[in-house]
Amino acid sequence: MDLFEPYKTEPYSDFSQESVQSAYRQALEEVRAQLGQDYPLIIGGEKVTPAHGFLESVDPCNTQQIVGRSAKAKRKEVERALTAAWDAYGSWSRLTMSERARTLVKLAAVMRRRKFELAAWETFEASKNYAEAEADVAEAIDFCEYYARQALKLDGPLETYDYPGEENTSFLIPIGVGVVIPPWNFLLAIMVGTAVGPVVVGNTVIVKPSPDTPIIAQKFMECVSEAGFPAGVINLLTGEDADIGDLLVDHPRVRFINFTGSLDTGLRIHERAAKLQPGQKWLKKVYAELGGKDALIVDETAPLDMAADAAVASAFSFQGQKCSALSRLIVVDEVYDGLLERVVERTKNLSLGPAETNADVGAVINQKAVAKTMGYIENGKTEARLVLGGGRGDDAGYFIEPTVFADVPQSASIACEEIFGPVLSVMRARSFDHALELANATVYGLTGGVFSRDRSRLERARREFHVGNLYLNRKITGALVGVQPFGGFNLSGSNAKAGGPDYLRLFMEMKTVSERY
Ligand code: NAD
């Protein structure tokens, strides 16, 4: 009999029900009463508060509201965390796979019990509306449940041929201590997935969350502790990138780096981690899942209302701050005007406001994101035709109107560079062939999509649309763990395929033992 019941993804709540909304509002009130507290680092299971000050996490929708303050780590704490993680590695790596897998299933259960509470923290810390926040917590739970089951498959010897007179066995072992560096956008899900994946197969980690979202990391550590992970298996270092980023990446005692974030940071980490440091006795493994410039093609055979619904959901949910978000809508000439009109009409109906009121579009993460997005909007005005938005919302927070540019040429900055905000570029294509050519004309290759009723074009897209995650006749965001393994091509990163069957293998190495009797 299998150890666990079959994997299935975590169900979503129906927020159209008043009772469900009211339960979420209750969770928001409970979390509101806890805002503004101070939190320590967690090293080897101990709470450590060094005298380096605190990172302040603010609510992007109300910048006067402090979500919490998390202690800053520096060099001394980096050393201490590495020692704690290596100490824990000795015994954690020797547990059976099923012992470790059970701890993940327990962690999933703890997070499931706290689902709305964790989601409410996300609403305050990252401006996620109810459905977006809940989906992120659900994904974190899915990573635990899925990787727990996948780990069991990597237990035991691998298949090799016999050789007369010898016993030959090959098996997988963990690799050591790693650093987990997640982004702020899927603040719980990516942090959890990139930590528990390596951990379930016997590695130990230091989690260094984004300085924009340290408090959800604190909540995660509460769940880790309740789930019964031994001290030192998952350590938390919050701090400024300038203080601890390079230190962690360069450190000779770090065996692997599991990074998700922007292209620039990813390239920096990739390069620095490649340099052998004094005392280092391995090649560091680096997994770097990076950005996107994701395109959706709509051809003249497509159902336009469905395509417009999918385009708007893909471009503007969570303010366009998803690596999978639609930023280039490429439309075949014949239906260009009709689709553009439908997209603009639907976008006009989106509400812009605080995430805690469950607005469709909330605030972007910080002032830097405002400056960057508004800079692209200014560029866009000179490169293309602004048809909707382009302005700021309430200045209590980092609000930007959902913005649509039409007639965007391929050479425009808003057609080439990742904006990571609520800005959609609509591009005209002469034909399906031309649309496919435009879609592939990017350095990225993360997600993409096609709306068409033409079978042969859908088949062509399967072969020729060069993205890690291709969606046909549906929205291009919202990959599910274990259902749609996620990761891109080209400069979208190392294609580790989070939530996929090969993921855990990346954090293991194979040992072969031959004995002649
Ligand atoms: P970012 O690159 O600014 O930061 C990512 C992480 O790296 C954060 O924890 C940050 O604190 C850390 N960091 C920054 N400088 C560092 C340094 N010098 N050394 C070590 N760590 C450092 O990215 P972000 O703004 O947090 O996230 C948005 C980006 O992430 C977008 O480009 C998005 O497309 C990408 N992303 C990709 C995926 C994917 O699966 N491919 C998923 C989510 C987000």
Side-chain angles (χ1 to χ4, degrees), residues 127-184:
S127 183
K128 291 210 181 219
N129 65 21
Y130 305 177
E132 290 292 328
E134 194 210 33
D136 192 59
V137 181
E139 189 177 348
I141 295 169
D142 287 346
F143 276 127
C144 295
E145 296 280 2
Y146 177 73
Y147 290 150
R149 287 160 180 77
Q150 288 298 314
L152 300 178
K153 297 186 183 173
L154 298 178
D155 215 3
L158 292 133
E159 203 178 315
T160 48
Y161 288 99
D162 290 333
Y163 191 77
E166 281 185 3
E167 182 206 331
N168 289 288
T169 323
S170 291
F171 52 95
L172 297 170
I173 60 170
I175 56 179
V177 171
V179 179
V180 172
I181 309 181
W184 50 263

Short mmCIF file of all heavy atoms in Angstrom, two decimals, residues 127-184:
data_model
loop_
_atom_site.label_atom_id
_atom_site.label_comp_id
_atom_site.label_asym_id
_atom_site.label_seq_id
_atom_site.Cartn_x
_atom_site.Cartn_y
_atom_site.Cartn_z
N SER A 127 0.07 42.82 -1.19
CA SER A 127 -1.07 43.34 -1.95
C SER A 127 -1.67 42.29 -2.88
O SER A 127 -1.91 42.55 -4.05
CB SER A 127 -0.66 44.60 -2.73
OG SER A 127 -1.77 45.14 -3.40
N LYS A 128 -1.93 41.12 -2.32
CA LYS A 128 -2.64 40.08 -3.10
C LYS A 128 -4.10 40.10 -2.68
O LYS A 128 -4.40 40.08 -1.47
CB LYS A 128 -2.07 38.69 -2.81
CG LYS A 128 -0.67 38.49 -3.34
CD LYS A 128 -0.38 37.04 -3.74
CE LYS A 128 1.04 36.96 -4.24
NZ LYS A 128 1.24 36.09 -5.37
N ASN A 129 -5.00 40.11 -3.67
CA ASN A 129 -6.42 40.02 -3.29
C ASN A 129 -6.72 38.60 -2.82
O ASN A 129 -5.85 37.73 -2.80
CB ASN A 129 -7.34 40.54 -4.41
CG ASN A 129 -7.28 39.68 -5.66
OD1 ASN A 129 -6.89 38.52 -5.62
ND2 ASN A 129 -7.67 40.25 -6.78
N TYR A 130 -7.97 38.36 -2.42
CA TYR A 130 -8.28 37.13 -1.69
C TYR A 130 -7.91 35.88 -2.50
O TYR A 130 -7.26 34.96 -1.99
CB TYR A 130 -9.75 37.06 -1.28
CG TYR A 130 -10.26 38.24 -0.47
CD1 TYR A 130 -11.59 38.32 -0.09
CD2 TYR A 130 -9.41 39.28 -0.07
CE1 TYR A 130 -12.08 39.40 0.66
CE2 TYR A 130 -9.88 40.36 0.66
CZ TYR A 130 -11.21 40.42 1.01
OH TYR A 130 -11.70 41.49 1.74
N ALA A 131 -8.36 35.84 -3.75
CA ALA A 131 -8.14 34.63 -4.55
C ALA A 131 -6.65 34.44 -4.86
O ALA A 131 -6.14 33.32 -4.82
CB ALA A 131 -8.94 34.69 -5.85
N GLU A 132 -5.96 35.55 -5.15
CA GLU A 132 -4.53 35.45 -5.47
C GLU A 132 -3.74 34.98 -4.25
O GLU A 132 -2.83 34.15 -4.35
CB GLU A 132 -3.99 36.80 -5.93
CG GLU A 132 -4.48 37.26 -7.29
CD GLU A 132 -3.94 36.41 -8.44
OE1 GLU A 132 -2.81 35.90 -8.33
OE2 GLU A 132 -4.67 36.24 -9.44
N ALA A 133 -4.09 35.52 -3.08
CA ALA A 133 -3.37 35.15 -1.86
C ALA A 133 -3.65 33.69 -1.52
O ALA A 133 -2.73 32.93 -1.19
CB ALA A 133 -3.79 36.07 -0.72
N GLU A 134 -4.90 33.29 -1.61
CA GLU A 134 -5.23 31.90 -1.27
C GLU A 134 -4.53 30.93 -2.24
O GLU A 134 -4.05 29.87 -1.83
CB GLU A 134 -6.74 31.69 -1.31
CG GLU A 134 -7.09 30.37 -0.64
CD GLU A 134 -8.33 29.71 -1.18
OE1 GLU A 134 -8.62 29.83 -2.39
OE2 GLU A 134 -9.02 29.06 -0.38
N ALA A 135 -4.49 31.32 -3.52
CA ALA A 135 -3.85 30.44 -4.51
C ALA A 135 -2.37 30.26 -4.19
O ALA A 135 -1.80 29.18 -4.40
CB ALA A 135 -4.01 31.02 -5.92
N ASP A 136 -1.74 31.29 -3.67
CA ASP A 136 -0.31 31.19 -3.33
C ASP A 136 -0.11 30.23 -2.16
O ASP A 136 0.82 29.42 -2.16
CB ASP A 136 0.25 32.58 -3.00
CG ASP A 136 1.77 32.57 -2.93
OD1 ASP A 136 2.40 32.22 -3.95
OD2 ASP A 136 2.31 32.86 -1.86
N VAL A 137 -0.99 30.31 -1.18
CA VAL A 137 -0.88 29.39 -0.04
C VAL A 137 -1.18 27.96 -0.51
O VAL A 137 -0.48 27.00 -0.13
CB VAL A 137 -1.82 29.80 1.12
CG1 VAL A 137 -1.67 28.84 2.29
CG2 VAL A 137 -1.54 31.23 1.56
N ALA A 138 -2.17 27.82 -1.36
CA ALA A 138 -2.52 26.49 -1.89
C ALA A 138 -1.32 25.89 -2.63
O ALA A 138 -1.03 24.69 -2.51
CB ALA A 138 -3.72 26.60 -2.83
N GLU A 139 -0.62 26.73 -3.38
CA GLU A 139 0.54 26.23 -4.13
C GLU A 139 1.65 25.78 -3.18
O GLU A 139 2.32 24.77 -3.42
CB GLU A 139 1.05 27.33 -5.08
CG GLU A 139 2.10 26.81 -6.06
CD GLU A 139 2.57 27.87 -7.05
OE1 GLU A 139 1.95 28.94 -7.15
OE2 GLU A 139 3.57 27.61 -7.73
N ALA A 140 1.83 26.52 -2.10
CA ALA A 140 2.84 26.12 -1.10
C ALA A 140 2.49 24.75 -0.52
O ALA A 140 3.36 23.88 -0.36
CB ALA A 140 2.91 27.17 0.01
N ILE A 141 1.22 24.55 -0.23
CA ILE A 141 0.76 23.25 0.30
C ILE A 141 1.00 22.15 -0.75
O ILE A 141 1.50 21.07 -0.44
CB ILE A 141 -0.74 23.34 0.69
CG1 ILE A 141 -0.92 24.32 1.84
CG2 ILE A 141 -1.32 21.97 1.00
CD1 ILE A 141 -2.36 24.71 2.15
N ASP A 142 0.67 22.48 -2.00
CA ASP A 142 0.86 21.49 -3.09
C ASP A 142 2.32 21.08 -3.21
O ASP A 142 2.62 19.90 -3.42
CB ASP A 142 0.40 22.08 -4.43
CG ASP A 142 -1.12 22.17 -4.54
OD1 ASP A 142 -1.82 21.56 -3.71
OD2 ASP A 142 -1.60 22.87 -5.46
N PHE A 143 3.23 22.04 -3.10
CA PHE A 143 4.66 21.68 -3.22
C PHE A 143 5.03 20.65 -2.15
O PHE A 143 5.73 19.68 -2.43
CB PHE A 143 5.55 22.93 -3.05
CG PHE A 143 5.74 23.73 -4.32
CD1 PHE A 143 5.47 25.09 -4.36
CD2 PHE A 143 6.22 23.13 -5.48
CE1 PHE A 143 5.65 25.84 -5.53
CE2 PHE A 143 6.41 23.86 -6.66
CZ PHE A 143 6.12 25.21 -6.68
N CYS A 144 4.54 20.84 -0.93
CA CYS A 144 4.88 19.89 0.15
C CYS A 144 4.30 18.52 -0.15
O CYS A 144 4.99 17.49 -0.04
CB CYS A 144 4.34 20.40 1.49
SG CYS A 144 5.12 21.91 2.03
N GLU A 145 3.03 18.49 -0.52
CA GLU A 145 2.36 17.20 -0.77
C GLU A 145 2.99 16.49 -1.98
O GLU A 145 3.21 15.28 -1.95
CB GLU A 145 0.87 17.43 -1.05
CG GLU A 145 0.10 18.00 0.13
CD GLU A 145 -0.28 16.93 1.17
OE1 GLU A 145 0.10 15.75 0.99
OE2 GLU A 145 -0.95 17.29 2.15
N TYR A 146 3.27 17.25 -3.02
CA TYR A 146 3.80 16.65 -4.25
C TYR A 146 5.23 16.15 -4.06
O TYR A 146 5.56 15.01 -4.41
CB TYR A 146 3.73 17.69 -5.38
CG TYR A 146 4.32 17.20 -6.69
CD1 TYR A 146 3.65 16.25 -7.47
CD2 TYR A 146 5.55 17.67 -7.15
CE1 TYR A 146 4.19 15.79 -8.66
CE2 TYR A 146 6.09 17.22 -8.34
CZ TYR A 146 5.41 16.27 -9.10
OH TYR A 146 5.96 15.82 -10.27
N TYR A 147 6.08 16.99 -3.47
CA TYR A 147 7.48 16.58 -3.30
C TYR A 147 7.60 15.43 -2.30
O TYR A 147 8.51 14.59 -2.41
CB TYR A 147 8.36 17.76 -2.88
CG TYR A 147 8.58 18.80 -3.98
CD1 TYR A 147 8.77 20.15 -3.66
CD2 TYR A 147 8.62 18.44 -5.33
CE1 TYR A 147 9.00 21.11 -4.66
CE2 TYR A 147 8.82 19.39 -6.33
CZ TYR A 147 9.01 20.72 -5.98
OH TYR A 147 9.22 21.66 -6.97
N ALA A 148 6.71 15.38 -1.32
CA ALA A 148 6.74 14.25 -0.37
C ALA A 148 6.57 12.94 -1.14
O ALA A 148 7.29 11.96 -0.91
CB ALA A 148 5.62 14.40 0.66
N ARG A 149 5.65 12.93 -2.08
CA ARG A 149 5.40 11.71 -2.86
C ARG A 149 6.51 11.44 -3.88
O ARG A 149 6.92 10.30 -4.09
CB ARG A 149 4.04 11.82 -3.57
CG ARG A 149 2.88 11.68 -2.59
CD ARG A 149 1.59 12.26 -3.15
NE ARG A 149 0.49 12.11 -2.21
CZ ARG A 149 0.29 12.88 -1.13
NH1 ARG A 149 1.14 13.85 -0.83
NH2 ARG A 149 -0.74 12.68 -0.34
N GLN A 150 7.00 12.50 -4.50
CA GLN A 150 8.08 12.32 -5.48
C GLN A 150 9.35 11.78 -4.81
O GLN A 150 10.08 10.98 -5.40
CB GLN A 150 8.41 13.66 -6.16
CG GLN A 150 7.35 14.15 -7.12
CD GLN A 150 7.15 13.18 -8.28
OE1 GLN A 150 8.11 12.71 -8.88
NE2 GLN A 150 5.91 12.86 -8.57
N ALA A 151 9.61 12.21 -3.58
CA ALA A 151 10.83 11.79 -2.89
C ALA A 151 10.86 10.27 -2.73
O ALA A 151 11.90 9.64 -2.89
CB ALA A 151 10.92 12.48 -1.53
N LEU A 152 9.69 9.71 -2.43
CA LEU A 152 9.64 8.26 -2.21
C LEU A 152 10.08 7.50 -3.45
O LEU A 152 10.65 6.42 -3.37
CB LEU A 152 8.22 7.83 -1.81
CG LEU A 152 7.68 8.48 -0.53
CD1 LEU A 152 6.25 8.03 -0.26
CD2 LEU A 152 8.58 8.15 0.67
N LYS A 153 9.86 8.09 -4.62
CA LYS A 153 10.23 7.43 -5.88
C LYS A 153 11.74 7.42 -6.10
O LYS A 153 12.24 6.70 -6.96
CB LYS A 153 9.57 8.13 -7.08
CG LYS A 153 8.07 8.07 -7.02
CD LYS A 153 7.46 8.64 -8.29
CE LYS A 153 5.94 8.61 -8.16
NZ LYS A 153 5.27 9.29 -9.22
N LEU A 154 12.46 8.31 -5.37
CA LEU A 154 13.91 8.38 -5.57
C LEU A 154 14.67 7.53 -4.54
O LEU A 154 15.89 7.53 -4.49
CB LEU A 154 14.38 9.84 -5.48
CG LEU A 154 13.80 10.77 -6.54
CD1 LEU A 154 14.28 12.20 -6.33
CD2 LEU A 154 14.17 10.31 -7.94
N ASP A 155 13.90 6.82 -3.72
CA ASP A 155 14.50 5.97 -2.70
C ASP A 155 14.91 4.65 -3.35
O ASP A 155 14.32 4.22 -4.30
CB ASP A 155 13.41 5.69 -1.64
CG ASP A 155 14.01 5.61 -0.26
OD1 ASP A 155 15.22 5.83 -0.12
OD2 ASP A 155 13.25 5.33 0.69
N GLY A 156 15.96 4.04 -2.80
CA GLY A 156 16.33 2.70 -3.28
C GLY A 156 17.23 2.75 -4.48
O GLY A 156 17.48 3.82 -5.05
N PRO A 157 17.77 1.60 -4.87
CA PRO A 157 18.76 1.58 -5.95
C PRO A 157 18.18 1.89 -7.32
O PRO A 157 16.99 1.67 -7.55
CB PRO A 157 19.28 0.13 -5.91
CG PRO A 157 18.25 -0.65 -5.20
CD PRO A 157 17.51 0.28 -4.30
N LEU A 158 19.04 2.40 -8.19
CA LEU A 158 18.63 2.68 -9.57
C LEU A 158 18.90 1.46 -10.43
O LEU A 158 19.73 0.61 -10.08
CB LEU A 158 19.42 3.88 -10.10
CG LEU A 158 19.01 5.16 -9.37
CD1 LEU A 158 20.22 5.94 -8.94
CD2 LEU A 158 18.12 6.01 -10.25
N GLU A 159 18.24 1.41 -11.56
CA GLU A 159 18.37 0.23 -12.40
C GLU A 159 19.68 0.27 -13.19
O GLU A 159 19.95 1.23 -13.91
CB GLU A 159 17.19 0.19 -13.36
CG GLU A 159 16.91 -1.20 -13.87
CD GLU A 159 15.70 -1.21 -14.79
OE1 GLU A 159 14.69 -0.60 -14.45
OE2 GLU A 159 15.82 -1.83 -15.86
N THR A 160 20.52 -0.76 -13.00
CA THR A 160 21.76 -0.89 -13.79
C THR A 160 21.88 -2.37 -14.19
O THR A 160 21.15 -3.21 -13.67
CB THR A 160 23.01 -0.50 -12.96
OG1 THR A 160 22.94 -1.16 -11.70
CG2 THR A 160 23.12 0.98 -12.75
N TYR A 161 22.81 -2.68 -15.08
CA TYR A 161 22.98 -4.07 -15.51
C TYR A 161 23.85 -4.85 -14.52
O TYR A 161 24.66 -4.27 -13.81
CB TYR A 161 23.61 -4.11 -16.91
CG TYR A 161 22.64 -3.68 -17.99
CD1 TYR A 161 22.67 -2.38 -18.50
CD2 TYR A 161 21.69 -4.57 -18.47
CE1 TYR A 161 21.77 -1.98 -19.47
CE2 TYR A 161 20.78 -4.18 -19.45
CZ TYR A 161 20.83 -2.88 -19.95
OH TYR A 161 19.93 -2.50 -20.90
N ASP A 162 23.68 -6.18 -14.51
CA ASP A 162 24.51 -7.05 -13.65
C ASP A 162 25.86 -7.27 -14.30
O ASP A 162 26.01 -7.17 -15.52
CB ASP A 162 23.84 -8.43 -13.49
CG ASP A 162 22.59 -8.33 -12.63
OD1 ASP A 162 22.53 -7.41 -11.80
OD2 ASP A 162 21.69 -9.17 -12.82
N TYR A 163 26.86 -7.61 -13.48
CA TYR A 163 28.17 -8.00 -14.02
C TYR A 163 28.60 -9.24 -13.23
O TYR A 163 28.52 -9.24 -11.99
CB TYR A 163 29.18 -6.86 -13.85
CG TYR A 163 30.45 -7.12 -14.61
CD1 TYR A 163 30.51 -6.94 -15.99
CD2 TYR A 163 31.59 -7.57 -13.94
CE1 TYR A 163 31.67 -7.20 -16.69
CE2 TYR A 163 32.76 -7.83 -14.63
CZ TYR A 163 32.80 -7.65 -16.01
OH TYR A 163 33.95 -7.90 -16.70
N PRO A 164 29.07 -10.27 -13.91
CA PRO A 164 29.34 -11.54 -13.23
C PRO A 164 30.36 -11.37 -12.08
O PRO A 164 31.38 -10.71 -12.24
CB PRO A 164 29.92 -12.44 -14.33
CG PRO A 164 29.54 -11.81 -15.62
CD PRO A 164 29.33 -10.36 -15.37
N GLY A 165 30.05 -11.96 -10.95
CA GLY A 165 30.98 -11.99 -9.81
C GLY A 165 30.98 -10.73 -8.98
O GLY A 165 31.75 -10.63 -8.03
N GLU A 166 30.18 -9.76 -9.33
CA GLU A 166 30.18 -8.50 -8.58
C GLU A 166 28.76 -8.10 -8.20
O GLU A 166 27.81 -8.43 -8.90
CB GLU A 166 30.72 -7.37 -9.47
CG GLU A 166 32.21 -7.34 -9.58
CD GLU A 166 32.68 -6.12 -10.37
OE1 GLU A 166 31.84 -5.27 -10.77
OE2 GLU A 166 33.88 -6.03 -10.58
N GLU A 167 28.69 -7.35 -7.11
CA GLU A 167 27.43 -6.67 -6.81
C GLU A 167 27.62 -5.20 -7.14
O GLU A 167 28.55 -4.57 -6.63
CB GLU A 167 27.09 -6.84 -5.33
CG GLU A 167 25.75 -6.20 -4.99
CD GLU A 167 25.65 -5.79 -3.52
OE1 GLU A 167 26.30 -6.41 -2.66
OE2 GLU A 167 24.93 -4.81 -3.27
N ASN A 168 26.79 -4.68 -8.01
CA ASN A 168 26.88 -3.26 -8.39
C ASN A 168 25.58 -2.55 -8.02
O ASN A 168 24.51 -2.99 -8.42
CB ASN A 168 27.13 -3.12 -9.89
CG ASN A 168 28.53 -3.56 -10.24
OD1 ASN A 168 29.49 -2.87 -9.93
ND2 ASN A 168 28.66 -4.74 -10.84
N THR A 169 25.72 -1.49 -7.24
CA THR A 169 24.53 -0.73 -6.83
C THR A 169 24.77 0.75 -7.08
O THR A 169 25.84 1.27 -6.74
CB THR A 169 24.28 -0.88 -5.30
OG1 THR A 169 24.60 -2.19 -4.91
CG2 THR A 169 22.84 -0.56 -4.95
N SER A 170 23.77 1.40 -7.63
CA SER A 170 23.81 2.87 -7.78
C SER A 170 22.61 3.47 -7.07
O SER A 170 21.49 2.96 -7.22
CB SER A 170 23.79 3.27 -9.25
OG SER A 170 25.00 2.88 -9.86
N PHE A 171 22.86 4.50 -6.31
CA PHE A 171 21.76 5.13 -5.56
C PHE A 171 22.01 6.62 -5.41
O PHE A 171 23.12 7.10 -5.65
CB PHE A 171 21.56 4.44 -4.20
CG PHE A 171 22.83 4.34 -3.38
CD1 PHE A 171 23.13 5.30 -2.44
CD2 PHE A 171 23.72 3.28 -3.57
CE1 PHE A 171 24.29 5.22 -1.68
CE2 PHE A 171 24.89 3.19 -2.82
CZ PHE A 171 25.18 4.16 -1.87
N LEU A 172 20.95 7.34 -5.04
CA LEU A 172 21.03 8.80 -4.96
C LEU A 172 21.21 9.24 -3.52
O LEU A 172 20.57 8.69 -2.61
CB LEU A 172 19.74 9.42 -5.51
CG LEU A 172 19.47 9.15 -7.00
CD1 LEU A 172 18.05 9.59 -7.37
CD2 LEU A 172 20.48 9.88 -7.87
N ILE A 173 22.06 10.24 -3.33
CA ILE A 173 22.26 10.81 -1.99
C ILE A 173 22.10 12.34 -2.07
O ILE A 173 22.28 12.93 -3.15
CB ILE A 173 23.66 10.45 -1.42
CG1 ILE A 173 24.78 10.98 -2.33
CG2 ILE A 173 23.80 8.94 -1.22
CD1 ILE A 173 26.18 10.87 -1.71
N PRO A 174 21.79 12.99 -0.95
CA PRO A 174 21.68 14.45 -0.97
C PRO A 174 23.06 15.09 -1.19
O PRO A 174 24.08 14.40 -1.09
CB PRO A 174 21.12 14.80 0.40
CG PRO A 174 21.38 13.60 1.26
CD PRO A 174 21.44 12.40 0.35
N ILE A 175 23.10 16.39 -1.45
CA ILE A 175 24.38 17.01 -1.78
C ILE A 175 24.95 17.92 -0.69
O ILE A 175 26.13 18.19 -0.67
CB ILE A 175 24.33 17.76 -3.13
CG1 ILE A 175 23.22 18.81 -3.15
CG2 ILE A 175 24.14 16.77 -4.28
CD1 ILE A 175 23.15 19.60 -4.46
N GLY A 176 24.13 18.42 0.21
CA GLY A 176 24.68 19.26 1.28
C GLY A 176 23.79 20.43 1.67
O GLY A 176 22.58 20.33 1.64
N VAL A 177 24.45 21.53 1.98
CA VAL A 177 23.73 22.72 2.46
C VAL A 177 23.54 23.72 1.31
O VAL A 177 24.51 24.04 0.60
CB VAL A 177 24.51 23.40 3.61
CG1 VAL A 177 23.88 24.76 3.97
CG2 VAL A 177 24.53 22.50 4.83
N GLY A 178 22.35 24.20 1.15
CA GLY A 178 22.07 25.15 0.07
C GLY A 178 21.48 26.44 0.60
O GLY A 178 21.02 26.53 1.74
N VAL A 179 21.50 27.44 -0.29
CA VAL A 179 20.88 28.73 0.02
C VAL A 179 19.67 28.90 -0.90
O VAL A 179 19.79 28.70 -2.12
CB VAL A 179 21.87 29.89 -0.19
CG1 VAL A 179 21.19 31.22 0.12
CG2 VAL A 179 23.08 29.71 0.69
N VAL A 180 18.55 29.24 -0.31
CA VAL A 180 17.31 29.40 -1.07
C VAL A 180 17.01 30.90 -1.15
O VAL A 180 16.90 31.58 -0.12
CB VAL A 180 16.16 28.65 -0.33
CG1 VAL A 180 14.81 28.96 -0.96
CG2 VAL A 180 16.44 27.15 -0.34
N ILE A 181 16.95 31.40 -2.38
CA ILE A 181 16.75 32.85 -2.58
C ILE A 181 15.51 33.07 -3.45
O ILE A 181 15.59 33.06 -4.67
CB ILE A 181 17.99 33.50 -3.23
CG1 ILE A 181 19.27 33.12 -2.45
CG2 ILE A 181 17.82 35.02 -3.30
CD1 ILE A 181 20.56 33.75 -3.01
N PRO A 182 14.36 33.24 -2.82
CA PRO A 182 13.12 33.41 -3.59
C PRO A 182 12.78 34.89 -3.85
O PRO A 182 13.32 35.77 -3.20
CB PRO A 182 12.06 32.79 -2.66
CG PRO A 182 12.59 33.05 -1.28
CD PRO A 182 14.10 33.16 -1.38
N PRO A 183 11.86 35.15 -4.77
CA PRO A 183 11.41 36.52 -5.01
C PRO A 183 10.25 36.86 -4.08
O PRO A 183 9.79 36.02 -3.31
CB PRO A 183 10.92 36.46 -6.46
CG PRO A 183 10.37 35.06 -6.59
CD PRO A 183 11.18 34.19 -5.66
N TRP A 184 9.74 38.08 -4.18
CA TRP A 184 8.63 38.50 -3.32
C TRP A 184 7.28 38.20 -3.95
O TRP A 184 6.25 38.35 -3.31
CB TRP A 184 8.73 40.01 -3.03
CG TRP A 184 8.90 40.80 -4.30
CD1 TRP A 184 10.09 41.25 -4.82
CD2 TRP A 184 7.89 41.18 -5.23
NE1 TRP A 184 9.87 41.87 -6.02
CE2 TRP A 184 8.52 41.84 -6.30
CE3 TRP A 184 6.51 41.02 -5.28
CZ2 TRP A 184 7.83 42.34 -7.40
CZ3 TRP A 184 5.81 41.51 -6.38
CH2 TRP A 184 6.47 42.16 -7.42
#
